[in-house]
Amino acid sequence: MRTLTISLSPQQIARLHDAVESGAYASNSEVIRDALRLWEQREETRRMEMSRLKKAYDEGMASGKGREVDAATLLAELKAETRSRG
């Protein structure tokens, strides 16, 4: 493996050392690798969510012209739709 130098705050260093000293991790490197795995998972989740939102936006834009509706009308329409579903 390659060595990389990083800068951490005193609080981050203390937490890293605590994780190793408690036995939760075998080494500082293991803590950092786990943190990077979690970051990669979060980024992948974010990419998937952005893709889902873009698809929903595109579908909404393709569904036709929108309309203005006041809150009372919208609520009445939603209640009527709920009643019709049973």
Side-chain angles (χ1 to χ4, degrees), residues 71-86:
T73 302
L74 177 62
L75 184 57
E77 289 175 1
L78 290 171
K79 285 181 179 179
E81 184 179 325
T82 300
R83 281 191 301 271
S84 70
R85 289 184 183 173

Side-chain angles (χ1 to χ4, degrees), residues 32-65:
I32 299 301
R33 283 191 296 272
D34 192 36
L36 286 171
R37 278 191 295 274
L38 290 170
W39 174 75
E40 289 169 345
Q41 289 172 355
R42 187 188 73 205
E43 287 299 302
E44 180 60 24
T45 299
R46 189 180 73 75
R47 275 191 293 277
M48 289 178 358
E49 182 65 12
M50 289 302 293
S51 177
R52 187 188 69 77
L53 289 172
K54 183 182 181 324
K55 180 181 177 193
Y57 173 82
D58 291 344
E59 289 171 355
M61 293 302 289
S63 70
K65 185 174 167 115

Side-chain angles (χ1 to χ4, degrees), residues 16 30-31 67-68:
L16 185 107
E30 190 177 301
V31 176
R67 66 182 174 104
E68 287 189 32

Side-chain angles (χ1 to χ4, degrees), residues 9 14 21-23 29 37 61:
S9 70
E21 289 173 11
S22 72
S29 294
R37 278 191 295 274
M61 293 302 289

